[in-house]
Amino acid sequence: MDEPAHVDVTRRAYDTVAVDYERLLRGALDDAPADRAVLALFAELVRSAGGGPVGDLGCGPGRLTGHLSALGLDVFGIDLSPGMVEVARGLHPGLSFRVGSLRALDLVDGELAGVLAWYSIIHTPPGELPIVCAEIARVLRPGGQLVVAFQAGDAVVQHERAYGHDVRFDAHRLAPHAVEAVLRAVGLVVHTRVVRDAEGHETTPQAYLLARRT
């Protein structure tokens, strides 16, 4: 499958920042009670539906993959960036990580009991979100759970420096109702919505949607 230019730009940017990204975000979850609460709810929903494999899609260095594993989930990670996957494998040798794209997941239909998409849709232009969300819906089993997190808003932020490196990539602020509409269109029903105010270095509210495949 031919990739849009923004996919390769994003991959190269995260390959560049992978080591420092992990270092700078290490322990960030300790100071994020809302994030921990959303992740705990997601884990409980997956377990209460009988459990099964969970994909951390856009896993980065695996910090949330490891957290979900500690919560008792059978979780693995997929990331666009080979650099991120290398870091994740080094930090979490007991878990599985591989390179892959949200646009074309190397997973069979209905394989997963749960999907974590934690800030992994923010580099996808809004017009292409249906492609990514349809792929997520495809790999979720009926009743499978999704949690998606993103910065709330309606703008494109063009980064030229991030995590101590000169890198260029776009990040899209997304309106929660618009993301929910896309999820609904591909057969995912949002049942829980959380939007919290910006904290610390954040400049925008943060949104979390939990959905179930019908």
Side-chain angles (χ1 to χ4, degrees):
M1 175 184 292
D2 292 337
E3 291 183 335
H6 70 82
V7 174
D8 186 55
V9 167
T10 302
R11 178 190 294 111
R12 287 188 283 108
Y14 279 100
D15 279 347
T16 299
V17 306
V19 172
D20 288 310
Y21 178 102
E22 188 282 323
R23 176 178 58 82
L24 291 167
L25 290 184
R26 190 182 305 158
L29 204 56
D30 295 340
D31 299 319
D35 290 11
R36 295 197 308 272
V38 169
L39 292 166
L41 173 59
F42 169 70
E44 177 62 24
L45 290 169
V46 171
R47 288 195 301 266
S48 66
V54 171
D56 181 0
L57 306 184
C59 64
R63 66 188 187 95
L64 297 186
T65 326
H67 183 74
L68 290 181
S69 178
L71 292 178
L73 297 186
D74 176 16
V75 59
F76 63 91
I78 295 177
D79 200 86
L80 182 67
S81 161
M84 286 289 194
V85 168
E86 181 179 0
V87 172
R89 287 171 175 167
L91 292 171
H92 306 280
L95 298 177
S96 173
F97 296 93
R98 58 184 184 266
V99 176
S101 171
L102 285 173
R103 298 173 59 89
L105 295 164
D106 186 19
L107 298 167
V108 302
D109 294 359
E111 181 174 345
L112 301 182
V115 165
L116 176 69
W118 201 258
Y119 296 91
S120 52
I121 67 169
I122 65 172
H123 304 300
T124 300
E128 296 184 21
L129 275 180
I131 297 170
V132 168
C133 292
E135 189 67 350
I136 289 172
R138 179 186 69 78
V139 301
L140 270 175
R141 66 179 59 161
Q145 295 286 334
L146 164 70
V147 57
V148 57
F150 52 94
Q151 294 98 348
D154 184 18
V156 181
V157 178
Q158 297 177 320
H159 291 280
E160 296 188 351
R161 186 168 179 80
Y163 309 107
H165 295 267
D166 293 326
V167 288
R168 294 189 177 188
F169 61 92
D170 291 345
H172 299 267
R173 309 302 192 230
L174 303 166
H177 72 273
V179 176
E180 181 170 350
V182 175
L183 295 176
R184 187 184 312 115
V186 300
L188 297 168
V189 177
V190 174
H191 55 76
T192 305
R193 305 159 185 84
V194 178
V195 178
R196 66 165 175 80
D197 292 343
E199 298 176 352
H201 68 279
E202 298 167 349
T203 59
T204 59
Q206 309 295 302
Y208 314 80
L209 300 178
L210 288 97
R212 179 184 302 106
R213 183 181 172 191
T214 56

